Amino acid sequence: MVRSTAREIAVHLSYELSFAGVPADEVLERHLSAENFASLAGEDEVYQETPKGKQREYITRLVTGVDQHAFELDSYIEKYAKGWRFARMPLVATAIMRVAMYEMLYMEDIPTGVAINEAVELCKKYESDEVVKFVNGLLGTFAKEEIKST
């Protein structure tokens, strides 16, 4: 499994956290099982291979981190959302931005440009062009203002 696939799975799980009312460890335990991946394999190609080792650790770190830092990440989204109210933003786009911001802030092994590019590519898969432009602009401004080296 490549990292971009693991990132996409982390976005799916972070999306679920935004409305499920279940702790991150429960979401991870339920969704990262081989049985769950087998049941979803026919619906979405990202579930063709159950994450193991480093990819499983990466997903767990992202989902747990996004959950633990949700208030902080949402505060940044609100701060840099020009012309958008938080309530208006699609939940998938919010999950994508949370994951990208968490990577930029807390995962030194992920270059800022990679986090932004991967977020934009995921947005293109799930959202309209308007949302893609919004996410790209917000993350670019966030990186410029909040991240030491981009």
Side-chain angles (χ1 to χ4, degrees):
M1 172 179 293
V2 295
R3 185 169 271 189
S4 60
T5 301
R7 182 180 285 109
E8 186 170 355
I9 292 166
V11 165
H12 290 182
L13 301 183
S14 295
Y15 166 79
E16 183 174 332
L17 286 175
S18 64
F19 61 83
V22 178
D25 58 339
E26 286 183 34
V27 169
L28 288 161
E29 184 178 330
R30 186 173 9 149
H31 288 285
L32 293 182
S33 70
E35 296 80 19
N36 185 60
F37 271 72
S39 72
L40 295 173
E43 295 177 31
D44 192 329
E45 66 184 29
V46 300
Y47 294 100
Q48 295 295 315
E49 180 183 347
T50 305
K52 294 176 180 55
K54 288 184 181 184
Q55 299 307 338
R56 186 180 183 93
E57 289 171 20
Y58 173 73
I59 292 167
T60 299
R61 183 173 174 201
L62 272 178
V63 173
T64 302
V66 166
D67 185 48
Q68 291 171 346
H69 294 272
F71 180 79
E72 173 193 15
L73 300 171
D74 290 352
S75 295
Y76 282 126
I77 293 170
E78 286 184 293
K79 179 178 178 179
Y80 293 107
K82 304 294 183 211
W84 288 62
R85 289 184 346 270
F86 194 83
R88 179 180 172 225
M89 294 175 211
L91 289 177
V92 172
T94 303
I96 291 168
M97 289 186 286
R98 286 174 180 154
V99 166
M101 288 177 165
Y102 182 80
E103 286 181 318
M104 287 187 259
L105 289 167
Y106 298 105
M107 299 180 81
E108 293 180 8
D109 59 319
I110 309 291
T112 297
V114 170
I116 294 171
N117 184 60
E118 291 286 328
V120 169
E121 291 304 313
L122 280 170
C123 249
K124 287 177 183 177
K125 182 174 179 179
Y126 294 104
E127 297 293 349
S128 69
D129 288 344
E130 178 187 22
V131 175
V132 172
K133 289 176 188 172
F134 166 74
V135 168
N136 189 31
L138 186 144
L139 292 176
T141 303
F142 167 77
K144 204 177 327 175
E145 299 292 326
E146 304 293 338
I147 306 302
K148 291 181 174 110
S149 61
T150 59

